[in-house]
């Protein structure tokens, strides 16, 4: 990331991706995406539906827990 002062507001700093780093990060995610595709290709449509349902419920449960924890008083 490149940080530069905001020309309109000297209190702010603008953050922008550096092109060389974007390519490096993209390559890592492309490799991971290919690995995920290969893993998921091993499953039937029915199995993928179960996996997807489970992941959505796990996501919802995690977010509900985060909301609950954020609503509680902070420990001293």
């Amino acid at each position: 990331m490149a940080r530069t002062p905001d020309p309109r507001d000297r209190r702010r700093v603008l953050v922008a991706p550096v092109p060389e780093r974007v390519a490096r990060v993209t390559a890592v995610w492309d490799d991971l995406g290919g690995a995920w595709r290969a893993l998921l290709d091993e499953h039937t449509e029915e199995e993928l539906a179960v996996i997807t349902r489970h992941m959505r419920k796990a996501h919802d449960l995690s977010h509900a827990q985060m909301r609950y924890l954020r609503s509680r008083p902070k420990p001293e």
Side-chain angles (χ1 to χ4, degrees), residues 6-44:
D6 185 335
R8 292 177 296 213
D9 185 344
R10 62 189 177 112
R11 298 168 296 177
R12 292 178 36 173
V13 173
L14 302 175
V15 179
V18 177
E20 308 83 59
R21 298 279 174 99
V22 170
R24 198 165 104 198
V25 171
T26 299
V28 170
W29 284 106
D30 285 347
D31 290 345
L32 181 59
W36 272 108
R37 276 188 296 283
L39 177 68
L40 294 172
D41 283 346
E42 296 175 5
H43 295 284
T44 66

Side-chain angles (χ1 to χ4, degrees), residues 25-69:
V25 171
T26 299
V28 170
W29 284 106
D30 285 347
D31 290 345
L32 181 59
W36 272 108
R37 276 188 296 283
L39 177 68
L40 294 172
D41 283 346
E42 296 175 5
H43 295 284
T44 66
E45 290 299 318
E46 293 79 18
E47 290 171 330
L48 290 173
V50 170
I51 292 168
T52 301
R53 186 171 64 247
H54 170 80
M55 291 177 75
R56 285 186 177 139
K57 287 183 175 187
H59 171 271
D60 293 345
L61 177 64
S62 296
H63 281 264
Q65 181 67 8
M66 285 188 288
R67 284 190 300 275
Y68 168 72
L69 292 172

